[in-house]
Amino acid sequence: DSGVTQTPKHLITATGQRVTLRCSPRSGDLSVYWYQQSLDQGLQFLIQYYNGEERAKGNILERFSAQQFPDLHSELNLSSLELGDSALYFCASSVSDLNTGELFFGEGSRLTVL
Amino acid sequence: AQKVTQAQTEISVVEKEDVTLDCVYETRDTTYYLFWYKQPPSGELVFLIRRNSFDEQNEISGRYSWNFQKSTSSFNFTITASQVVDSAVYFCALKVRSGGSYIPTFGRGTSLIVHP
């Protein structure tokens, strides 16, 4: 158990809809990362937050947004969903934004868009 | 830009065979960090090892060993006497400083199937 909690574990929705994925980092970790894992793209970095502020942005679509709240949990919002958004979305956490160590990953949220 | 290449998409072995998973990385930074993660069928990524660019010492942990060679930009992972429980997808990752953060870049992963 990494200590990172993601909900929901599974989500099935239709094209055009909006969903919110939630992540609670490990106790004491201030930095949260979001990754998308799909068969054709592998593990793609989406965005990172540190102590409530956006720190780094990767290949995140404009239809996607995220935030980190004062209690350090984070949410990833996916809107106007398309079939290609079906993927496993991971949240990971680390102590700091300049962490050179490993990330601790949650179990992921599997999104299926029909 | 940094890049991680895991050329082996899938490897299939029989239990007790040794297997090496290849990882080749690209970066212009002199300070960087390399990692291996395991993703079992349950889905969660599990950290296996971290190595920084200044430490080329190879490491052995039980049946696992890692060979880091800066001259060839490789960080290969060997499992000795493989077991069925080793079946998983293995990811190599590279961390370099990008702006104010260290963001890992992952390879596409190698799926290891160990048959009994």
Short mmCIF file of all heavy atoms in Angstrom, two decimals, chain B residues 2-38:
data_model
loop_
_atom_site.label_atom_id
_atom_site.label_comp_id
_atom_site.label_asym_id
_atom_site.label_seq_id
_atom_site.Cartn_x
_atom_site.Cartn_y
_atom_site.Cartn_z
N GLN B 2 14.23 14.95 -22.90
CA GLN B 2 14.67 13.64 -22.44
C GLN B 2 13.76 12.55 -22.99
O GLN B 2 12.60 12.79 -23.32
CB GLN B 2 14.68 13.58 -20.92
CG GLN B 2 13.45 14.06 -20.24
CD GLN B 2 13.49 15.57 -20.06
OE1 GLN B 2 14.39 16.26 -20.51
NE2 GLN B 2 12.47 16.11 -19.43
N LYS B 3 14.34 11.36 -23.09
CA LYS B 3 13.59 10.25 -23.67
C LYS B 3 14.06 8.94 -23.06
O LYS B 3 15.24 8.79 -22.73
CB LYS B 3 13.84 10.23 -25.18
CG LYS B 3 13.05 9.20 -25.96
CD LYS B 3 13.38 9.31 -27.45
CE LYS B 3 12.67 8.23 -28.23
NZ LYS B 3 13.01 8.30 -29.68
N VAL B 4 13.14 8.03 -22.91
CA VAL B 4 13.47 6.70 -22.41
C VAL B 4 12.93 5.68 -23.40
O VAL B 4 11.76 5.72 -23.76
CB VAL B 4 12.84 6.46 -21.02
CG1 VAL B 4 13.11 5.03 -20.55
CG2 VAL B 4 13.38 7.47 -20.01
N THR B 5 13.79 4.77 -23.81
CA THR B 5 13.40 3.76 -24.79
C THR B 5 13.51 2.37 -24.18
O THR B 5 14.58 1.97 -23.72
CB THR B 5 14.26 3.83 -26.05
OG1 THR B 5 14.15 5.13 -26.63
CG2 THR B 5 13.82 2.79 -27.06
N GLN B 6 12.41 1.67 -24.18
CA GLN B 6 12.40 0.27 -23.79
C GLN B 6 11.99 -0.49 -25.05
O GLN B 6 10.82 -0.58 -25.37
CB GLN B 6 11.41 0.03 -22.64
CG GLN B 6 11.83 0.71 -21.35
CD GLN B 6 10.84 0.45 -20.23
OE1 GLN B 6 10.05 1.32 -19.88
NE2 GLN B 6 10.90 -0.75 -19.67
N ALA B 7 12.97 -0.98 -25.75
CA ALA B 7 12.72 -1.55 -27.08
C ALA B 7 11.93 -2.85 -27.02
O ALA B 7 11.23 -3.20 -27.97
CB ALA B 7 14.04 -1.76 -27.81
N GLN B 8 12.04 -3.56 -25.92
CA GLN B 8 11.35 -4.84 -25.80
C GLN B 8 9.91 -4.58 -25.33
O GLN B 8 9.68 -4.15 -24.22
CB GLN B 8 12.06 -5.73 -24.78
CG GLN B 8 13.51 -6.00 -25.08
CD GLN B 8 14.30 -6.21 -23.79
OE1 GLN B 8 14.21 -5.39 -22.88
NE2 GLN B 8 15.06 -7.27 -23.72
N THR B 9 8.97 -4.86 -26.20
CA THR B 9 7.57 -4.65 -25.84
C THR B 9 7.08 -5.76 -24.92
O THR B 9 6.40 -5.52 -23.93
CB THR B 9 6.70 -4.61 -27.10
OG1 THR B 9 7.21 -3.63 -27.98
CG2 THR B 9 5.26 -4.28 -26.74
N GLU B 10 7.46 -6.99 -25.27
CA GLU B 10 7.01 -8.13 -24.49
C GLU B 10 8.09 -9.20 -24.49
O GLU B 10 8.72 -9.46 -25.51
CB GLU B 10 5.71 -8.70 -25.06
CG GLU B 10 5.12 -9.83 -24.25
CD GLU B 10 3.79 -10.31 -24.80
OE1 GLU B 10 2.82 -9.54 -24.80
OE2 GLU B 10 3.72 -11.49 -25.23
N ILE B 11 8.31 -9.78 -23.33
CA ILE B 11 9.26 -10.89 -23.20
C ILE B 11 8.54 -12.04 -22.52
O ILE B 11 7.86 -11.85 -21.51
CB ILE B 11 10.48 -10.49 -22.35
CG1 ILE B 11 11.22 -9.32 -22.98
CG2 ILE B 11 11.42 -11.69 -22.21
CD1 ILE B 11 12.38 -8.82 -22.12
N SER B 12 8.72 -13.22 -23.09
CA SER B 12 8.09 -14.41 -22.52
C SER B 12 9.19 -15.41 -22.17
O SER B 12 10.02 -15.73 -23.01
CB SER B 12 7.13 -15.02 -23.55
OG SER B 12 6.45 -16.12 -23.00
N VAL B 13 9.20 -15.86 -20.93
CA VAL B 13 10.21 -16.83 -20.49
C VAL B 13 9.53 -17.92 -19.69
O VAL B 13 8.38 -17.80 -19.27
CB VAL B 13 11.31 -16.16 -19.62
CG1 VAL B 13 12.04 -15.09 -20.42
CG2 VAL B 13 10.72 -15.59 -18.34
N VAL B 14 10.30 -18.97 -19.46
CA VAL B 14 9.82 -20.06 -18.61
C VAL B 14 10.45 -19.87 -17.24
O VAL B 14 11.59 -19.42 -17.12
CB VAL B 14 10.19 -21.43 -19.21
CG1 VAL B 14 9.77 -22.56 -18.29
CG2 VAL B 14 9.55 -21.59 -20.58
N GLU B 15 9.72 -20.22 -16.24
CA GLU B 15 10.20 -20.07 -14.87
C GLU B 15 11.63 -20.60 -14.72
O GLU B 15 11.99 -21.61 -15.33
CB GLU B 15 9.26 -20.82 -13.93
CG GLU B 15 9.18 -20.24 -12.54
CD GLU B 15 8.06 -20.85 -11.72
OE1 GLU B 15 7.58 -21.95 -12.06
OE2 GLU B 15 7.66 -20.20 -10.73
N LYS B 16 12.41 -19.88 -13.92
CA LYS B 16 13.80 -20.18 -13.60
C LYS B 16 14.79 -19.67 -14.65
O LYS B 16 16.00 -19.73 -14.41
CB LYS B 16 14.03 -21.67 -13.35
CG LYS B 16 13.28 -22.20 -12.13
CD LYS B 16 13.60 -23.65 -11.86
CE LYS B 16 12.73 -24.16 -10.69
NZ LYS B 16 12.93 -25.59 -10.43
N GLU B 17 14.28 -19.17 -15.74
CA GLU B 17 15.18 -18.54 -16.72
C GLU B 17 15.59 -17.17 -16.21
O GLU B 17 14.85 -16.51 -15.48
CB GLU B 17 14.48 -18.37 -18.07
CG GLU B 17 14.41 -19.61 -18.92
CD GLU B 17 13.84 -19.28 -20.29
OE1 GLU B 17 14.18 -18.22 -20.85
OE2 GLU B 17 13.04 -20.07 -20.80
N ASP B 18 16.79 -16.73 -16.62
CA ASP B 18 17.21 -15.37 -16.36
C ASP B 18 16.69 -14.48 -17.49
O ASP B 18 16.61 -14.92 -18.64
CB ASP B 18 18.73 -15.26 -16.31
CG ASP B 18 19.34 -16.10 -15.18
OD1 ASP B 18 18.58 -16.55 -14.30
OD2 ASP B 18 20.57 -16.29 -15.20
N VAL B 19 16.35 -13.25 -17.15
CA VAL B 19 15.83 -12.35 -18.18
C VAL B 19 16.36 -10.93 -17.92
O VAL B 19 16.45 -10.50 -16.77
CB VAL B 19 14.29 -12.36 -18.21
CG1 VAL B 19 13.70 -11.99 -16.86
CG2 VAL B 19 13.74 -11.48 -19.31
N THR B 20 16.72 -10.24 -19.00
CA THR B 20 17.21 -8.86 -18.89
C THR B 20 16.28 -7.93 -19.64
O THR B 20 15.97 -8.16 -20.82
CB THR B 20 18.63 -8.74 -19.45
OG1 THR B 20 19.52 -9.51 -18.63
CG2 THR B 20 19.09 -7.29 -19.42
N LEU B 21 15.86 -6.89 -18.96
CA LEU B 21 15.01 -5.86 -19.55
C LEU B 21 15.89 -4.65 -19.86
O LEU B 21 16.59 -4.15 -18.98
CB LEU B 21 13.89 -5.46 -18.58
CG LEU B 21 13.09 -6.62 -17.97
CD1 LEU B 21 12.01 -6.09 -17.05
CD2 LEU B 21 12.50 -7.50 -19.04
N ASP B 22 15.82 -4.20 -21.09
CA ASP B 22 16.70 -3.12 -21.52
C ASP B 22 16.05 -1.75 -21.35
O ASP B 22 14.84 -1.60 -21.53
CB ASP B 22 17.07 -3.30 -23.01
CG ASP B 22 17.84 -4.59 -23.26
OD1 ASP B 22 18.52 -5.06 -22.32
OD2 ASP B 22 17.76 -5.12 -24.38
N CYS B 23 16.89 -0.77 -21.04
CA CYS B 23 16.44 0.61 -20.93
C CYS B 23 17.55 1.51 -21.45
O CYS B 23 18.68 1.46 -20.95
CB CYS B 23 16.10 0.96 -19.48
SG CYS B 23 15.74 2.71 -19.22
N VAL B 24 17.24 2.33 -22.42
CA VAL B 24 18.19 3.31 -22.96
C VAL B 24 17.57 4.68 -22.79
O VAL B 24 16.40 4.88 -23.09
CB VAL B 24 18.48 3.03 -24.45
CG1 VAL B 24 19.34 4.14 -25.03
CG2 VAL B 24 19.16 1.68 -24.62
N TYR B 25 18.37 5.62 -22.30
CA TYR B 25 17.83 6.95 -22.02
C TYR B 25 18.60 8.01 -22.79
O TYR B 25 19.74 7.79 -23.22
CB TYR B 25 17.86 7.24 -20.52
CG TYR B 25 19.25 7.23 -19.93
CD1 TYR B 25 20.00 8.40 -19.84
CD2 TYR B 25 19.82 6.05 -19.47
CE1 TYR B 25 21.27 8.40 -19.32
CE2 TYR B 25 21.10 6.03 -18.95
CZ TYR B 25 21.82 7.21 -18.88
OH TYR B 25 23.08 7.20 -18.36
N GLU B 26 17.97 9.16 -22.94
CA GLU B 26 18.60 10.30 -23.61
C GLU B 26 18.35 11.53 -22.78
O GLU B 26 17.20 11.84 -22.43
CB GLU B 26 18.00 10.52 -25.01
CG GLU B 26 18.24 9.43 -26.01
CD GLU B 26 17.53 9.69 -27.33
OE1 GLU B 26 17.35 10.88 -27.69
OE2 GLU B 26 17.13 8.72 -27.99
N THR B 27 19.42 12.26 -22.49
CA THR B 27 19.29 13.54 -21.82
C THR B 27 20.59 14.31 -22.00
O THR B 27 21.65 13.71 -22.11
CB THR B 27 18.97 13.39 -20.32
OG1 THR B 27 18.87 14.69 -19.73
CG2 THR B 27 20.04 12.60 -19.59
N ARG B 28 20.48 15.62 -22.01
CA ARG B 28 21.69 16.46 -22.09
C ARG B 28 22.13 16.91 -20.69
O ARG B 28 23.19 17.49 -20.54
CB ARG B 28 21.41 17.68 -22.96
CG ARG B 28 21.20 17.34 -24.41
CD ARG B 28 20.98 18.58 -25.24
NE ARG B 28 20.80 18.26 -26.67
CZ ARG B 28 20.54 19.16 -27.61
NH1 ARG B 28 20.44 20.42 -27.29
NH2 ARG B 28 20.39 18.79 -28.86
N ASP B 29 21.29 16.67 -19.71
CA ASP B 29 21.64 17.04 -18.35
C ASP B 29 22.72 16.12 -17.81
O ASP B 29 22.76 14.92 -18.13
CB ASP B 29 20.41 16.95 -17.44
CG ASP B 29 19.41 18.04 -17.73
OD1 ASP B 29 19.01 18.17 -18.90
OD2 ASP B 29 19.04 18.78 -16.80
N THR B 30 23.58 16.70 -16.97
CA THR B 30 24.61 15.87 -16.34
C THR B 30 24.13 15.30 -15.02
O THR B 30 24.69 14.33 -14.51
CB THR B 30 25.88 16.70 -16.10
OG1 THR B 30 25.54 17.86 -15.34
CG2 THR B 30 26.50 17.13 -17.43
N THR B 31 23.08 15.90 -14.48
CA THR B 31 22.48 15.39 -13.25
C THR B 31 21.11 14.84 -13.57
O THR B 31 20.23 15.57 -14.04
CB THR B 31 22.36 16.50 -12.19
OG1 THR B 31 23.64 17.03 -11.91
CG2 THR B 31 21.74 15.94 -10.92
N TYR B 32 20.95 13.58 -13.33
CA TYR B 32 19.66 12.96 -13.61
C TYR B 32 19.51 11.73 -12.72
O TYR B 32 20.46 11.29 -12.07
CB TYR B 32 19.50 12.60 -15.09
CG TYR B 32 20.63 11.78 -15.67
CD1 TYR B 32 20.61 10.38 -15.60
CD2 TYR B 32 21.72 12.39 -16.28
CE1 TYR B 32 21.64 9.63 -16.13
CE2 TYR B 32 22.76 11.64 -16.81
CZ TYR B 32 22.72 10.27 -16.74
OH TYR B 32 23.74 9.51 -17.26
N TYR B 33 18.30 11.19 -12.72
CA TYR B 33 17.99 10.06 -11.86
C TYR B 33 17.22 9.03 -12.67
O TYR B 33 16.34 9.38 -13.47
CB TYR B 33 17.15 10.53 -10.65
CG TYR B 33 17.86 11.59 -9.86
CD1 TYR B 33 17.77 12.93 -10.25
CD2 TYR B 33 18.65 11.27 -8.77
CE1 TYR B 33 18.46 13.91 -9.55
CE2 TYR B 33 19.34 12.24 -8.07
CZ TYR B 33 19.24 13.55 -8.47
OH TYR B 33 19.93 14.52 -7.78
N LEU B 34 17.57 7.79 -12.47
CA LEU B 34 16.94 6.69 -13.20
C LEU B 34 16.20 5.79 -12.23
O LEU B 34 16.64 5.58 -11.10
CB LEU B 34 18.00 5.89 -13.95
CG LEU B 34 18.72 6.64 -15.07
CD1 LEU B 34 20.01 5.95 -15.44
CD2 LEU B 34 17.80 6.76 -16.28
N PHE B 35 15.09 5.24 -12.71
CA PHE B 35 14.25 4.42 -11.86
C PHE B 35 13.73 3.22 -12.64
O PHE B 35 13.62 3.25 -13.86
CB PHE B 35 13.00 5.22 -11.40
CG PHE B 35 13.32 6.47 -10.65
CD1 PHE B 35 13.66 7.63 -11.32
CD2 PHE B 35 13.26 6.50 -9.26
CE1 PHE B 35 13.95 8.80 -10.64
CE2 PHE B 35 13.53 7.67 -8.57
CZ PHE B 35 13.88 8.81 -9.26
N TRP B 36 13.39 2.20 -11.89
CA TRP B 36 12.59 1.10 -12.42
C TRP B 36 11.37 0.94 -11.52
O TRP B 36 11.49 0.99 -10.29
CB TRP B 36 13.38 -0.22 -12.45
CG TRP B 36 14.24 -0.38 -13.66
CD1 TRP B 36 15.57 -0.07 -13.78
CD2 TRP B 36 13.84 -0.90 -14.92
NE1 TRP B 36 16.02 -0.36 -15.04
CE2 TRP B 36 14.99 -0.88 -15.76
CE3 TRP B 36 12.65 -1.40 -15.44
CZ2 TRP B 36 14.95 -1.33 -17.10
CZ3 TRP B 36 12.61 -1.84 -16.74
CH2 TRP B 36 13.75 -1.81 -17.56
N TYR B 37 10.23 0.76 -12.20
CA TYR B 37 8.98 0.48 -11.51
C TYR B 37 8.38 -0.79 -12.06
O TYR B 37 8.55 -1.12 -13.23
CB TYR B 37 7.96 1.62 -11.74
CG TYR B 37 8.24 2.90 -11.01
CD1 TYR B 37 9.11 3.85 -11.55
CD2 TYR B 37 7.61 3.19 -9.80
CE1 TYR B 37 9.35 5.05 -10.90
CE2 TYR B 37 7.85 4.39 -9.14
CZ TYR B 37 8.72 5.31 -9.70
OH TYR B 37 8.95 6.50 -9.05
N LYS B 38 7.63 -1.47 -11.21
CA LYS B 38 6.93 -2.69 -11.61
C LYS B 38 5.43 -2.42 -11.54
O LYS B 38 4.94 -1.84 -10.57
CB LYS B 38 7.29 -3.83 -10.65
CG LYS B 38 6.53 -5.12 -10.87
CD LYS B 38 6.95 -6.17 -9.85
CE LYS B 38 6.19 -7.48 -10.03
NZ LYS B 38 6.60 -8.50 -9.03
#
